[in-house]
Amino acid sequence: MRYSPEIAKYLRIKCFSWKEKGYCGCVLVEETQERRMLYRLDHLVHLAHYDAATDVQNRNSFEGYCAHFAECNGGTNVEHVQPNEPVGSMVGVAFVDVNGLKHINDTFGHDSGNFLIRMVSDKIKDELYGSNFQLFRVGGDEFVVVLPDISKNELWVVEQHLKDAFVNITVPHFPPVLAALGTAWSERAQNLTELVKEADARMYEHKRKLKVAR
């Protein structure tokens, strides 16, 4: 199957053996409409699960991920867990809240605000590149990072690296620290709800410290 630029159509060639030796039959099928419909469907699915501004997974994806995590770790289907069978899995969670977004939006416009949000999401992706992680934008200025199979010490290192990455030395009118961060860890998590709440609370502790430091 290929796109033919000369006639602006998608074409598929189907070949089959013919009754005479050395010959084959070919059927040319136009699939332009089907391809356009598939593209639109793929685009709608992408919009439903990804944030348009940052191209990271959105809250819909986060809720689906949490439900799947709980199902796999005994957090919802406890009747399927055998007695004395260990449940849960090692996981770390980071909660990130962009600093000063409302002020940037009100003062410099939403384009600047979107740039600030993208800066934060890009720094998260850069710092975690090559790692096993899931990044979700769960609110206007909030991100959740899930890091499966990470040790407590490894999560601490990730937290320090992200805090260093969030220090702003490039855009003068942006906050001196682009985002506040809190983390939580469990050796045998059955669901992510409590971990996210714990990481959220620690993020606010970090945000308060940043205000005091100013």
Side-chain angles (χ1 to χ4, degrees), residues 47-51 56-62 136-137:
L47 289 177
H49 292 90
Y50 282 81
D51 172 60
V56 303
Q57 297 174 89
N58 62 16
R59 176 169 281 278
N60 289 336
S61 290
F62 177 65
F136 306 90
R137 185 182 180 189

Side-chain angles (χ1 to χ4, degrees), residues 39-66:
Y39 172 79
R40 289 170 187 159
L41 180 60
D42 289 343
H43 184 60
L44 288 173
V45 170
H46 184 82
L47 289 177
H49 292 90
Y50 282 81
D51 172 60
T54 58
D55 201 34
V56 303
Q57 297 174 89
N58 62 16
R59 176 169 281 278
N60 289 336
S61 290
F62 177 65
E63 291 174 354
Y65 184 90
C66 288

Side-chain angles (χ1 to χ4, degrees), residues 53-125:
T54 58
D55 201 34
V56 303
Q57 297 174 89
N58 62 16
R59 176 169 281 278
N60 289 336
S61 290
F62 177 65
E63 291 174 354
Y65 184 90
C66 288
H68 180 70
F69 183 93
E71 184 177 353
C72 292
N73 290 281
T76 54
N77 294 329
V78 292
E79 69 274 9
H80 295 149
V81 178
Q82 300 299 319
N84 301 321
E85 180 184 350
V87 295
S89 61
M90 185 184 298
V91 65
V93 169
F95 198 102
V96 178
D97 187 272
V98 180
N99 289 327
L101 180 61
K102 185 177 186 307
H103 171 73
I104 295 298
N105 281 335
D106 293 346
T107 308
F108 301 101
H110 286 273
D111 285 344
S112 289
N114 286 336
F115 184 71
L116 171 58
I117 292 167
R118 285 194 297 273
M119 274 188 71
V120 172
S121 66
D122 287 346
K123 287 180 179 294
I124 296 171
K125 288 184 281 189

Side-chain angles (χ1 to χ4, degrees), residues 3 8-11 29-41:
Y3 180 74
K9 293 183 185 296
Y10 285 94
L11 303 172
V29 182
E30 183 192 345
E31 295 187 342
T32 306
Q33 286 298 110
E34 291 83 351
R35 292 285 299 182
R36 286 175 178 168
M37 290 296 293
L38 285 173
Y39 172 79
R40 289 170 187 159
L41 180 60

